[in-house]
């Protein structure tokens, strides 16, 4: 019999749907409930703080997550062994998130304290002690102390291995990164033949999650991982393909478009071997964009034509629309305006026949911007406004569309508006729509030195809960829109 989903399960479901505010509000409500029923500092309250911290960390709000974990650690339970185990987990979370935030001095202090507490509680040979060895080794790696990081990682691997503990996978992934950083030619991934498939897959997942930045070490670890996965699991295993896809992204980030093309071609060949038509289509679109970014316009357009053949064979309207939209944009960039307009209009028509409102909005925005640049402003305005009507205000294409719409209204075919101002206005709408209608007189949002500056004017004196809600909402909007501000979208 399946269990009912917990509040944390529901919150993560909301987060996956893009409903960050709703997810936060749900866990904040659970936190207030725990405080009323059990008291501030109780194990139940600490658990609710940790849940909220986990959600904030998952949504990129690292500093707020640190505050939650600190609160969860503030009252170590006495006389309750199970509650103390949870306390050790909260402190480990705190050290790990401080590491992610780059606050390495604080992270090392917290993790060394946690390691000592775990030593006293579990003993040195217990997996519970090894849990803290890993993140401490990570901090030391980031600080350049390769030797000490390697010793701690080896100890963690040994403990987990002896106990047959699944955590050996993450420890092996960390050790591989340390080996590559040591640059002494030692194989990063050896002995995978001794491990079950599931452990090897977990190693791959951990390496990919750690190789998010475009760094030489991250790319080298990925390259070594792919070779090991091809040998151990085969070139068509999903773990191998996921690692290749990440290598393609990393290659793009560091400007190696030829390497990106090679990685995508291997993924595409595998999907074709397996008869995975939709996955092959997405890989073909990625390959077309890689060719374009590499300066191979002819290769990009040939690949878009191949993608159209694949999408037409699959027959789904939203897939056809996606290919036609991207193809039209590439044709426009290549100066083939008549072909571009035909493909973009076909994209809108295909999306209109389907049920994907987001793709319809994106296709309309793409066509509208094309028409704007062709100085057909009246039609451009109509198409962009129609596109905005089906997109969420926070969608990147909606922000781009609003910015261009401002220029269209002013009669300009280019100089496409104040993108930062448009993002600020989208931020404002995002917050205002989620606050009581009688509370705000106005909310002024501007961008100063690359950060949002916010001024609030209230109609009435707010209740304490309303102030707390408004502050959380503004912080969440910051998380929602910050990446778009820095990318200019």
């Amino acid at each position: 019999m399946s269990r009912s989903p917990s509040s944390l399960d529901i919150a993560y479901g909301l987060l996956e749907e893009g409903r960050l505010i709703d997810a936060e509000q749900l866990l904040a409500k659970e936190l207030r409930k725990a405080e009323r029923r059990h008291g501030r500092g109780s194990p139940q309250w600490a658990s609710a703080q940790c849940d909220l911290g986990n959600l904030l960390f998952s949504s990129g709000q690292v500093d707020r997550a640190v505050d939650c974990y600190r609160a969860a650690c503030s009252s170590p339970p006495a006389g309750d062994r199970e509650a103390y185990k949870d306390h050790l987990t909260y402190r480990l979370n705190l050290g790990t998130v401080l590491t992610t935030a780059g606050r390495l001095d604080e992270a090392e202090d917290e993790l060394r304290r946690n390691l000592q507490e775990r030593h006293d509680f579990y003993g040195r040979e217990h997996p519970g002690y090894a849990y803290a060895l890993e993140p401490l080794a990570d901090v030391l790696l980031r600080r350049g102390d390769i030797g000490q990081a390697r010793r701690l990682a080896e100890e963690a691997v040994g403990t987990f291995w002896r106990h047959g503990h699944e955590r050996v996978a993450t420890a092996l992934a960390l050790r591989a990164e340390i080996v590559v950083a040591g640059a002494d030619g030692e194989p990063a991934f050896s002995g995978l033949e001794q491990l079950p498939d599931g452990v090897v897959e977990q190693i791959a997942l951990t390496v990919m999650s750690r190789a998010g930045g475009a760094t030489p070490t991250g790319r080298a670890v990925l390259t070594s991982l792919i070779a090991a996965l091809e040998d151990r699991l085969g070139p068509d295993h999903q773990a191998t393909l996921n690692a290749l896809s990440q290598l393609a992204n990393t290659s793009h980030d560091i400007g190696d478009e030829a390497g990106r093309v090679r990685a995508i071609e291997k993924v595409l060949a595998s999907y074709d071997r397996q008869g995975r038509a939709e996955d092959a289509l997405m890989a073909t679109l990625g390959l077309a964009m890689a060719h374009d970014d590499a300066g191979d316009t002819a290769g990009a357009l040939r690949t878009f034509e191949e993608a159209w053949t694949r999408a037409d064979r699959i027959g789904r309207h939203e897939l056809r629309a996606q290919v036609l939209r991207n193809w039209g944009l590439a044709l426009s960039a290549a100066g083939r305006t008549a072909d571009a307009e035909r493909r973009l209009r076909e994209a809108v028509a295909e999306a209109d026949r389907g049920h994907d409102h987001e793709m319809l909005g994106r296709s309309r925005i793409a066509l509208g911007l094309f028409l704007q640049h062709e100085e057909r402003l009246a039609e451009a305005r109509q198409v962009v406004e129609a596109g905005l009507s089906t997109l969420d205000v926070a969608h990147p294409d909606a922000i781009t569309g609003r910015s261009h719409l401002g220029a269209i209204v002013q009669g300009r075919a280019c100089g496409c508006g104040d993108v930062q101002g448009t993002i600020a206005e989208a931020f404002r709408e995002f917050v205002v729509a989620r606050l009581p209608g009688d509370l705000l007189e106005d909310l002024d949002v501007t961008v100063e030195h690359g950060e949002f500056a916010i001024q609030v004017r209230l109609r009435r004196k707010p209740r304490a809960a309303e102030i707390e809600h408004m502050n959380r909402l503004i912080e969440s909007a910051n998380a929602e829109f910050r990446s778009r501000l820095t990318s200019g979208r």
Side-chain angles (χ1 to χ4, degrees), residues 454-482:
I454 301 157
Q455 291 185 337
V456 180
R457 292 190 293 278
L458 302 176
R459 296 182 186 276
R460 59 172 173 79
K461 184 177 180 179
R463 297 186 296 274
E466 288 177 323
I467 294 176
E468 183 182 354
H469 171 58
M470 182 169 60
N471 288 338
R472 286 199 308 268
L473 192 57
I474 289 172
E475 288 172 343
S476 298
N478 257 304
E480 185 81 24
F481 287 93
R482 188 179 298 115

Side-chain angles (χ1 to χ4, degrees), residues 1-5:
M1 184 175 179
S2 61
R3 66 175 180 85
S4 299

